[in-house]
Structures are given as C-alpha cells and as structure tokens.
Amino acid sequence: LSRTSVRDALRVLESEGLISTKVGRSGGSMITLPGREAVARSVELFVRTHGIRLESLLGCRVAVEPTLAALCAKHRTADQLAEIEDLHLAFEKSVDNVSRYKAVNLDWHLAIARASGNEPLIALMEAISRPIRDAMDYQHVTTPDLRRTAIAAHTKILDAIRQQDSDSAFRRMERHVSAYQAIAVGKPGSPFPE
C-alpha cells in the first residue's frame, strides 16, 4: 500500500471514532473504544441507505420505547427527572409551533431513553429518532388536536415516571407510541389513547 492509502484509511478510522491520532515524535494512532454515538451513526446510516420504511421504524419504536420508559421510571435520577419535566413544559408551550414541537418531542423521548441507563437501547433510539422526525409522512400527525392529545399522553407518562411506577410508564408509553404508529401509517384507531 502507498503511504497516501494508509493515511486515507487512518483518517477514515479516526472520523469513525475507532482511532485517535496524536501528532509529533511520540505520536501515532491509537485504538479507541467506539462510543454510543458510533453505534447510533452506523444504525442511522443503515436506515437511510437501505430505504427503511417509516412503518418499520415506528414498529421498532413500539418495541423499544415502552421498555425505556419502564427503565426510566425505575432508574431515573432527580436531575434526569428535572430535565424531562423541563422538556415537557417546553413541549406544552410549543403546541402552536410545529417545527419547535417536533424538536422538543424528540428531545423529550430521547431524555427518557437516556434516563433508562440501557446503552444499546439508547443508541438504537438515537439512531431511529432522526429519520422518523425527518420523514415526509410526519405532517399529518401534527394537527393541533393531535398535538394537544400527545401532550396529554406525555403528561400521563411523566406522572408514572415521577412516581417511579415502571408498569404504568410501560403501558402508557406503549399506548402512546402504538397510537402514533397507527396514525402515521394510516391505520384506524383513536389518536394517542390515554
């Protein structure tokens, strides 16, 4: 291999977070452990390059988020609860601003995921959340009535997390994301049941 090829390969590995390079006489490339961000980036790349459908992403969310909510209720710290509560207040205030609503909604769900303490599931949620948010199909799930109904569902999930009731957090999140999935893919059912 030429030196140029080796340098290019090292740059790619460094950009992927698999090595770190120190310049200088005692420098060189050292292997680093990939973080959660690397896993999330890889899964998101897979989703985007393979044309994974919104319906499949939402099914993944239905399978994962109730467990994350239950784990959050069980393991969350006071600081994590405060962050989730602050995001909930911002979510309530964003009801008339669709772009802000979408951003805060994503942040709220990811804060719950992070408070779960389950690194692989957090990485998975981080990876699928952006493509779901960016999906063209998102527009019909952001009507004013549906936004208000989602706020009510979030309030009930937050109450279960506050009370550290993992069973209730699981059930409420499952209802919420299942209803969202049904609306997003055009299946009949009541919006965001309580």
Side-chain angles (χ1 to χ4, degrees):
L1 294 174
S2 70
R3 286 182 184 205
T4 303
S5 297
V6 172
R7 268 192 237 117
D8 289 346
L10 290 173
R11 279 192 203 108
V12 168
L13 290 172
E14 188 169 22
S15 72
E16 290 295 320
L18 299 174
I19 65 168
S20 62
T21 304
K22 183 178 172 186
V23 182
R25 179 163 238 185
S26 62
S29 297
M30 301 292 290
I31 296 172
T32 58
L33 294 175
R36 190 175 74 223
E37 301 79 26
V39 174
R41 208 171 36 251
S42 294
V43 173
E44 185 175 354
L45 182 62
F46 173 81
V47 165
R48 291 186 186 275
T49 58
H50 286 77
I52 304 298
R53 296 173 45 93
L54 179 62
E55 187 171 0
S56 295
L57 293 173
L58 293 173
C60 182
R61 204 175 155 193
V62 169
V64 171
E65 278 205 74
T67 298
L68 289 169
L71 290 170
C72 173
K74 187 185 270 188
H75 301 297
R76 58 109 178 128
T77 65
D79 288 343
Q80 289 168 328
L81 178 60
E83 178 189 9
I84 295 165
E85 289 173 331
D86 289 346
L87 286 167
H88 182 69
L89 290 174
F91 188 60
E92 290 176 325
K93 292 176 185 174
S94 73
V95 72
D96 295 322
N97 180 335
V98 173
S99 60
R100 178 81 179 126
Y101 170 91
K102 286 168 62 174
V104 175
N105 184 36
L106 175 65
D107 291 343
W108 186 82
H109 281 271
L110 289 175
I112 288 174
R114 285 190 300 273
S116 75
N118 186 302
E119 291 293 321
L121 292 180
I122 296 168
L124 180 59
M125 269 302 295
E126 290 173 347
I128 66 170
S129 292
R130 281 183 226 101
I132 289 172
R133 182 199 61 204
D134 297 343
M136 296 290 288
D137 305 37
Y138 200 101
Q139 292 306 313
H140 70 281
V141 297
T142 56
T143 66
D145 286 342
L146 289 177
R147 289 194 299 271
R148 282 188 282 279
T149 304
I151 289 168
H154 281 208
T155 301
K156 292 181 185 260
I157 295 164
L158 178 56
D159 287 344
I161 290 170
R162 268 190 200 113
Q163 296 166 14
Q164 295 189 296
D165 184 343
S166 58
D167 291 338
S168 179
F170 182 97
R171 282 191 316 277
R172 292 188 183 285
M173 183 65 84
E174 183 176 44
R175 288 180 197 144
H176 174 55
V177 293
S178 293
Y180 178 86
Q181 178 189 32
I183 293 165
V185 298
K187 292 180 182 172
S190 69
F192 304 110
E194 297 175 16

